[in-house]
Amino acid sequence: MPDKLIAFIRSLYNEPEAFIPLHDPRFIGNEKKYLMECIDSNFVSSVGEFVGRFEKMCAEYTGAKYAVATVNGTAALHIALQLAGVQRDDEVITQALTFIATANAISYTGAEPVFLDVDRDTLGIAPTAVSKWLKENVELHNTPHPINKKTGRRVAACIPMHTFGHPVKLDELKEVLDKYNIPMVEDAAESIGSYYKGKHTGTSGSFGILSFNGNKVITTGGGGMILTNNEETALMAKHLTTQAKVPHAWEYKHDHIGYNYRLINIAAALGCAQMEKLDHLLELKRELAEKYRNFFKSSEFEFFSEPEHCKSNYWLNVLITKDRQERNKLLEYTNKNGIMCRPVWEPMNRLPMYAHCQTDGLENTAWLADRIVNIPSAAVVNRE
Ligand SMILES: *Cc1c(COP(=O)(O)O)cnc(C)c1O
């Protein structure tokens, strides 16, 4: 199987010898043209028309009322959490199976993450796990937020993450969170172009965030986006991410501790060109996933398909191997042969800075961490 697999991936990418990365960028549109416009106009930095254009394109694409561009997805998440009301010494629920940025953004606010289990059929946070943990651990006093009985802390928000582009069970999760009055901030960093029951990921909660890092479906080199339907918080997000400067023709006055989290015009120019090609790239990614699905039907590996009621962007294609030993064998063989494959992230609760955090059993998390392998997933485009 491994030899056949390597030959198959090489044939998909028409790349008989060279190294094949997990997910590299695809620049097939107006990228160069828009970058030249930045340079010719001298608007390369914090001022320029591409930032507003990119925000508008992202709002229109996702169906969010407002989109605020940021320097990266992690910064977007940090600000979204702040605006969702997360404060120092609060607790924020998220999944143990996520990229480190989710947990770190919680830490930046001074809050503590609580790591709960995921569903095997979505790879994202399990609404049943959230419901069970809340039932056992919190009480609703006469406060707007539930209080953790053991720690005395407020449970101030929940961050579901749409792993590798596969949407979380949002309806079930929202029902649980609404019961406890907990705002939802969606980490949709990996899921641009993914839909849950026809609704774009990142638009069902108080906030959603996107990432345009170099390894994502589309990229601005580095960049992020805050999505929200609330005008007031959108304006505040813009304010906080641009040093909280009070508008004035020449005075330098600031009314909050703001951040230099703005997206520069050069990056936004790339973003506009990439957005124009997003649907095309998503189609190609779907075709690729379909080819993988067919190929793995007759193999010892299970190809992970989009969950029920969902359309996934298939950001990174997922194989489920038999056990950790099989996983390691596959990783070793593919990487040795110039095909980049990767395991899933080490669960957050196993990292030294988060080892003390509250968790539940994390059964599915451990099971998946032993078995997931990501295989090359960038869209195959015909490049002359
Ligand atoms: C990529 C990513 C982010 C944000 O990453 P940036 O590199 O800061 O844009 C956040 N969460 C998850 C799950 C991600 O995959």
Side-chain angles (χ1 to χ4, degrees):
M1 185 65 196
D3 282 327
K4 261 166 67 187
L5 172 57
I6 280 165
F8 181 66
I9 294 177
R10 290 206 169 280
S11 74
L12 286 175
Y13 284 94
N14 196 16
E15 198 72 86
E17 281 169 51
F19 173 75
I20 299 180
L22 200 57
H23 204 296
D24 52 337
R26 294 289 181 262
F27 300 123
I28 52 172
N30 286 319
E31 285 85 359
K32 280 186 185 165
K33 178 167 173 259
Y34 294 168
L35 286 175
M36 284 309 289
E37 280 179 44
C38 290
I39 291 165
D40 289 341
S41 69
N42 228 19
F43 287 122
V44 295
S45 185
S46 53
V47 182
E49 62 163 74
F50 284 112
V51 175
R53 224 160 102 188
F54 185 42
E55 289 175 335
K56 194 154 167 274
M57 288 176 97
C58 286
E60 269 166 18
Y61 192 88
T62 59
K65 280 213 179 99
Y66 305 94
V68 177
T70 58
V71 65
N72 56 52
T74 312
L77 199 50
H78 178 198
I79 296 300
L81 286 171
Q82 254 192 39
L83 291 175
V86 175
Q87 296 172 11
R88 182 162 296 283
D89 294 330
D90 283 346
E91 290 175 358
V92 175
I93 297 170
T94 191
Q95 59 209 53
L97 201 70
T98 186
F99 177 57
I100 190 71
T102 317
N104 283 346
I106 295 170
S107 300
Y108 300 163
T109 67
E112 280 269 311
V114 175
F115 298 115
L116 300 185
D117 206 6
V118 293
D119 277 318
R120 275 206 214 173
D121 56 348
T122 68
L123 312 179
I125 197 162
T128 49
V130 177
S131 174
K132 182 163 180 280
W133 187 84
L134 285 169
K135 207 173 277 171
E136 287 169 5
N137 290 281
V138 309
E139 49 197 17
L140 280 161
H141 288 293
N142 294 325
T143 56
H145 287 85
I147 304 287
N148 185 324
K149 287 182 283 189
K150 281 180 216 144
T151 61
R153 294 171 150 159
R154 304 189 324 156
V155 180
C158 174
I159 312 179
M161 196 281 280
H162 307 291
T163 307
F164 306 133
H166 298 296
V168 161
K169 290 168 188 158
L170 283 171
D171 277 353
E172 288 91 332
L173 180 64
K174 260 184 76 77
E175 196 183 315
V176 175
L177 296 177
D178 285 349
K179 205 158 79 185
Y180 288 89
N181 212 9
I182 297 174
M184 180 167 83
V185 175
E186 282 175 76
D187 184 344
E190 306 180 353
S191 63
I192 191 165
S194 294
Y195 296 82
Y196 175 83
K197 295 186 180 172
K199 206 167 156 50
H200 197 283
T201 52
T203 62
S204 291
S206 310
F207 294 91
I209 71 100
L210 305 173
S211 166
F212 302 99
N213 189 42
N215 63 344
K216 298 291 177 5
V217 171
I218 55 170
T219 185
T220 58
M225 194 69 68
I226 301 170
L227 305 175
T228 177
N229 291 322
N230 183 298
E231 185 179 10
E232 201 181 323
T233 51
L235 290 171
M236 197 59 182
K238 188 50 132 183
H239 190 56
L240 288 179
T241 53
T242 54
Q243 303 282 30
K245 184 178 179 294
V246 182
H248 189 279
W250 55 80
E251 298 277 11
Y252 291 111
K253 285 188 181 161
H254 305 260
D255 59 3
H256 284 79
I257 297 176
Y259 300 85
N260 185 11
Y261 279 177
R262 76 177 87 231
L263 188 73
I264 61 169
N265 203 45
I266 286 182
L270 264 184
C272 290
Q274 290 266 282
M275 280 303 287
E276 289 169 359
K277 292 291 179 191
L278 177 56
D279 277 332
H280 178 56
L281 291 171
L282 287 169
E283 262 172 51
L284 294 175
K285 285 177 69 65
R286 249 190 129 63
E287 277 172 27
L288 178 67
E290 197 49 45
K291 284 180 184 166
Y292 275 135
R293 189 179 0 261
N294 283 329
F295 178 80
F296 287 112
K297 264 181 197 155
S298 54
S299 82
E300 66 264 47
F301 306 123
E302 180 197 331
F303 180 80
F304 189 89
S305 293
E306 63 199 348
E308 254 191 313
H309 315 298
C310 296
K311 183 168 185 192
S312 173
N313 64 7
Y314 286 98
W315 172 49
L316 292 186
N317 289 296
V318 176
L319 289 184
I320 310 282
T321 59
K322 194 166 81 322
D323 53 31
R324 196 175 185 89
Q325 203 186 344
E326 288 296 306
R327 183 200 81 159
N328 291 346
K329 258 168 53 187
L330 180 61
L331 287 170
E332 212 154 286
Y333 194 78
T334 48
N335 283 292
K336 206 175 70 195
N337 283 279
I339 310 272
M340 186 171 168
C341 289
R342 286 288 179 267
V344 76
W345 316 281
E346 188 72 13
M348 295 299 106
N349 59 299
R350 297 181 193 170
L351 304 177
M353 58 289 190
Y354 293 122
H356 66 281
C357 292
Q358 298 166 84
T359 63
D360 57 10
L362 298 180
E363 242 172 76
N364 293 334
T365 301
W367 192 89
L368 288 166
D370 279 343
R371 288 168 177 79
I372 287 177
V373 172
N374 289 128
I375 53 180
S377 301
V380 179
V381 298
N382 293 318
R383 281 179 287 188
E384 288 88 45

